[in-house]
């Protein structure tokens, strides 16, 4: 069964600095999707970035980028120039399209931004 | 409405009472999901529906039931609430091949704002 592991329950970063959130996953599939979701104090879940496993190029969305290492089954999120509004819980998620297409979420990493 | 709405926003419920959490989406997504979020446990899937008329059990289905009479609505019912069901509940939808306009998804799930339920 697929699993998603976020080994850092909490992290802190100084404002304007760069931080990397780790995510590893376990799968025997070769074609799948990976996501990072952000949940700010408002509790709304917001998609930050997505990565298709068949694409070698790492996805980038403004200050957010990923380091996708398919062989290592690693999918880390890098936040550059951290801002106070980045403070949130971040969830890594895995999806494989099949008859029971459900997203599998990690347990989350709470990110604190220090002013 | 645009996206997913949930009602109520929050609720305090006496143990033993029946409660239905409502979820409606207007994106014409085929798949819908119910999750509960508890501190330290992340998001856990309760029930899901891949298309109208079908439902399936997730990771933690006991004590909950769902129905999917049409594409838009996916209510979650607690038949007899217990304190361990105190949680924040999220409804989500997705549709890899369908959806409308800006809500045509690429497999990601769109989430509602959540319902905070306290069972006393």
């Amino acid at each position: 069964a697929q699993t998603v592991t976020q080994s850092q329950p909490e992290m802190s970063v100084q404002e304007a600095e760069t931080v990397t959130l780790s995510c590893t996953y376990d799968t025997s599939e070769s074609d799948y999707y990976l996501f990072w979701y952000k949940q700010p104090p408002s509790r709304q879940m917001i998609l930050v970035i997505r990565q298709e496993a068949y694409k070698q190029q790492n996805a980038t969305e403004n200050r957010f980028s990923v380091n996708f290492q398919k062989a290592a089954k690693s999918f880390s999120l890098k936040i550059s120039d951290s801002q106070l509004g980045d403070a949130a819980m971040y969830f890594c998620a895995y999806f494989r399209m099949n008859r029971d297409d459900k997203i599998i979420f990690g347990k989350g990493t709470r990110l604190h931004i220090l002013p | 409405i645009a996206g997913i709405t949930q009602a109520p926003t929050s609720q305090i419920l006496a143990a033993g009472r029946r409660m239905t959490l409502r979820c409606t989406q207007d994106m014409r997504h085929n798949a819908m999901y119910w999750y509960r979020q508890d501190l330290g446990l992340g998001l856990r899937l309760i029930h899901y529906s891949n298309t109208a008329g079908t439902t399936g059990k997730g990771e933690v289905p006991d004590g909950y039931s769902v129905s999917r009479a049409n594409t838009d609505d996916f209510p979650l019912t607690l038949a007899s609430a217990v304190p361990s069901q105190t949680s924040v509940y999220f409804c989500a939808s997705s549709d890899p091949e369908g959806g409308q306009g800006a809500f045509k998804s690429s497999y990601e799930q769109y989430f509602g704002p959540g319902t905070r339920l306290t069972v006393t």
Side-chain angles (χ1 to χ4, degrees), chain B residues 4 9 20 27 46 51 53 67-68 73 90 94 97 105 112:
Chain B
I4 298 181
T9 301
T20 295
M27 298 175 282
I46 304 170
T51 190
S67 62
R68 186 86 184 278
D73 301 299
F90 287 96
S94 71
E97 302 299 334
S105 68

Side-chain angles (χ1 to χ4, degrees), chain B residues 6-63:
Chain B
Q6 291 184 237
T9 301
S10 66
Q11 181 75 44
I12 299 174
L13 187 68
R17 297 296 296 270
R18 180 184 180 90
M19 174 76 189
T20 295
L21 307 184
R22 299 184 298 279
C23 174
T24 299
Q25 54 106 354
D26 65 354
M27 298 175 282
R28 308 304 295 171
H29 283 170
N30 281 327
M32 297 187 74
Y33 311 85
W34 273 105
Y35 296 91
R36 59 177 291 173
Q37 183 179 23
D38 303 288
L39 192 63
L41 298 177
L43 288 157
R44 293 183 292 170
L45 183 65
I46 304 170
H47 284 287
Y48 65 95
S49 168
N50 286 333
T51 190
T54 68
T55 62
K57 294 182 179 180
E59 182 183 355
V60 288
D62 294 343

